[in-house]
Amino acid sequence: MLTGDNGILTKATSAKEKTERAEIIENAKLDILGIQADKNGKLTTGQLKGILNKYFKDVPEEITAENMATLELKTKDGKHTIKVSEIYSGSLSDMKNVTELKVGDYVKYGDKLTSQTYVTNSNGEPDTGYETSQTFNTNTATLWRVINKKANGDVEIVAVNNTLSSDGTTGLYLKSQNGFLNAETILDNLCSKLYSNPAYGTARSINVDDINNLTGFNPETSEWGDKEYYLNNRTKTYTSGGPFWDKNTNTFTNATTEEPITVDNTYYYYTVNENIPLYDTLIEESKTYTGDYSEENYPMFYWLASCSVGAYVDHSNFHVRFVDGGGIGDRYLFCGRTNGSTVERAYACAIRPIVTLNSNVQLDTGDATKDGSEEAKAWILK
C-alpha cells in the first residue's frame, strides 16, 4: 500500500514532481510576460535564451522558430524534461519569418527539395486517359515568388517556371473522360510528390482560383465573352445521348427520359490584365501561344487544376482549364451529344506548382542584400 506502483508514497512523489514541473513552466512564462510588458509585447532570441538558461542546462546557441517547436531541455537538476513550446511558442522580434514576405517577392526554395520522380498511370495514381505513361522530375533550380498570404499566416509561393516531362519539351497529357475526371487529383498529386518538403510546406498545382484571386475576376460580375449565355443557362438537362458527366457519382453516364442527367454550366474565359501582380511570371509568356499546338509551344502554357463544363442545347464539352494566349482558357477533352455521338481529345500542357510555406519558416537575414525584390535578391530560407 505504501510503496507499490499505486502506493501512497509513490503517488505523493509523482504529484510532487508534477507540481515542480508545472512551477518551472509557470515561472518561466511569468519571466517572459515581464519582459514583454516592458517591450510592448516583444521578445528577442537573446531574452528567451536568458530565461531558458535560468531554468535549464545545455540551452543551444541558436534558437530558431523551427527548433522552438520541438526542442526539449533538461532542468538544472536533471529531474524534468520540458519542451520550449510549453513555455513559449510565439514569434521573436529579431527573427524574420515568411509572414513578413510580400506578394511578388522572390524566394529561393529549390535547395530545400530532394529530387523526386513522378510517373503517371502507375503506383496507384489515377488514369490520365492517355495511353502512354509519362515521367516528371523535380526542378530544384527554379525560383519561386509569393502569390498569396493566407489569414492563418501561411504563405503561398509559386514556381516561376513551368514543369515539363522528363524529355524537357512535353507537358502532361490528359485525354477523354478519365483525363477530365482525374485531372485535378493528378495535377495536385504530381506537384505534391515533386515539390513538398514536410519541414517547410506542402505543394499542389496552381488552379483557376489562384489566378482569379490575383485578378479579382468574378464570372458573375466581370465582363467577358459569352457572359450572358453563362448567366442565363446555368444548367442543362439531357434526356438522351451522352455519355454526360454525372457529378453525383463522378462518372460519365448515358441520359434517358427515365434517368435524365443535369449538367452545371461552369465554363468561362477571360484575358488577364497586365497590371496584376506576377503577370510577368504567370501570364506573359503564354501570350506568345497563338493556337499553334506543337511541342515547341508546350513550355508556354500550363494546366490549372480546375475542370469546367460548357453545357449547350444539344451537347456538353468537358474541359480542364489552362493558361494560354494571355488569359484563362479551357481544353475540352470530351464532348457528349444528345444524338449519342462523342468526341474525345488528348492535350498536353506544362505544370505549375504552388507551395504553402508554414508560417514559422524563417528567412536567412545574414545577407542584407536579399530583400526579395528581384531574382538576384531572392529571399533565402533557413
Side-chain angles (χ1 to χ4, degrees):
M1 290 179 64
L2 290 173
T3 60
D5 289 343
N6 293 311
I8 296 171
L9 295 179
T10 302
K11 287 184 175 180
T13 300
S14 177
K16 180 182 177 184
E17 290 177 351
K18 288 180 179 179
T19 300
E20 289 176 349
R21 189 179 189 281
E23 285 179 351
I24 293 169
I25 294 173
E26 185 62 25
N27 289 336
K29 285 182 174 180
L30 289 172
D31 289 347
I32 289 171
L33 289 173
I35 291 173
Q36 290 178 314
D38 290 336
K39 301 294 182 181
N40 295 320
K42 295 181 179 180
L43 183 73
T44 68
T45 305
Q47 289 165 341
L48 177 62
K49 283 177 60 180
I51 292 170
L52 295 177
N53 280 318
K54 180 178 176 181
Y55 298 99
F56 302 98
K57 57 184 179 181
D58 300 326
V59 177
E61 281 299 313
E62 186 177 11
I63 299 289
T64 67
E66 186 177 18
N67 69 19
M68 276 171 58
T70 58
L71 183 61
E72 294 183 340
L73 298 174
K74 284 280 189 183
T75 54
K76 293 283 191 180
D77 58 11
K79 291 170 62 177
H80 307 286
T81 300
I82 298 173
K83 283 187 176 182
V84 173
S85 59
E86 294 181 73
I87 297 168
Y88 186 73
S89 58
S91 61
L92 298 169
S93 63
D94 56 347
M95 288 183 183
K96 282 190 175 181
N97 61 20
V98 295
T99 60
E100 299 186 46
L101 296 175
K102 304 183 298 297
V103 171
D105 277 359
Y106 287 89
V107 179
K108 187 177 180 183
Y109 174 70
D111 59 334
K112 307 305 179 188
L113 295 170
T114 302
S115 293
Q116 302 282 344
T117 298
Y118 180 95
V119 182
T120 62
N121 300 344
S122 66
N123 301 321
E125 292 296 337
D127 182 13
T128 63
Y130 194 65
E131 297 80 4
T132 305
S133 295
Q134 294 180 268
T135 300
F136 292 79
N137 300 312
T138 308
N139 180 357
T140 59
T142 188
L143 280 175
W144 300 70
R145 296 184 75 183
V146 178
I147 189 173
N148 185 37
K149 297 181 69 173
K150 302 176 76 173
N152 66 355
D154 292 346
V155 173
E156 293 180 317
I157 57 175
V158 63
V160 302
N161 302 115
N162 294 331
T163 294
L164 297 167
S165 61
S166 57
D167 64 14
T169 59
T170 309
L172 169 70
Y173 271 103
L174 298 171
K175 181 180 178 181
S176 195
Q177 296 177 29
N178 283 344
F180 171 82
L181 294 173
N182 300 326
E184 295 178 10
T185 299
I186 292 166
L187 288 163
D188 283 335
N189 285 0
L190 189 158
C191 291
S192 178
K193 175 70 181 293
L194 300 185
Y195 294 102
S196 291
N197 179 335
Y200 289 84
T202 56
R204 61 174 175 84
S205 170
I206 193 170
N207 60 47
V208 74
D209 292 330
D210 297 310
I211 306 294
N212 290 350
N213 182 54
L214 289 175
T215 62
F217 177 82
N218 181 336
E220 307 287 329
T221 57
S222 303
E223 292 305 316
W224 56 280
D226 295 339
K227 177 183 176 182
E228 288 304 313
Y229 181 86
Y230 168 85
L231 293 176
N232 295 314
N233 296 272
R234 299 307 181 89
T235 62
K236 289 293 181 183
T237 299
Y238 302 101
T239 58
S240 66
F244 300 106
W245 179 47
D246 183 348
K247 68 178 180 180
N248 295 319
T249 60
N250 197 34
T251 60
F252 278 88
T253 308
N254 288 321
T256 65
T257 303
E258 295 75 22
E259 296 184 7
I261 296 177
T262 298
V263 174
D264 292 333
N265 182 17
T266 57
Y267 173 70
Y268 61 80
Y269 61 91
Y270 65 95
T271 300
V272 174
N273 188 297
E274 296 185 8
N275 295 322
I276 70 158
L278 280 78
Y279 182 89
D280 54 340
T281 290
L282 295 176
I283 307 296
E284 190 163 33
E285 186 180 34
S286 77
K287 290 170 66 176
T288 61
Y289 173 63
T290 58
D292 175 18
Y293 189 78
S294 53
E295 289 196 0
E296 59 266 25
N297 281 327
Y298 285 151
M300 300 176 188
F301 47 91
Y302 56 89
W303 291 121
L304 300 171
S306 306
C307 293
S308 68
V309 178
Y312 305 95
V313 173
D314 61 352
H315 71 284
S316 276
N317 294 331
F318 302 94
H319 319 85
V320 179
R321 300 188 193 273
F322 76 137
V323 169
D324 86 305
I328 301 300
D330 300 77
R331 284 291 187 191
Y332 91 73
L333 304 183
F334 186 76
C335 173
R337 299 181 181 277
T338 56
N339 65 7
S341 65
T342 60
V343 179
E344 62 176 26
R345 292 178 173 178
Y347 288 107
C349 290
I351 312 300
R352 187 67 72 105
I354 281 181
V355 169
T356 302
L357 294 174
N358 301 325
S359 59
N360 63 353
V361 172
Q362 290 179 260
L363 304 174
D364 187 343
T365 57
D367 185 345
T369 68
K370 306 298 185 185
D371 60 8
S373 59
E374 56 187 75
E375 292 189 17
K377 297 181 179 181
W379 287 108
I380 298 172
L381 304 178
K382 277 193 173 182

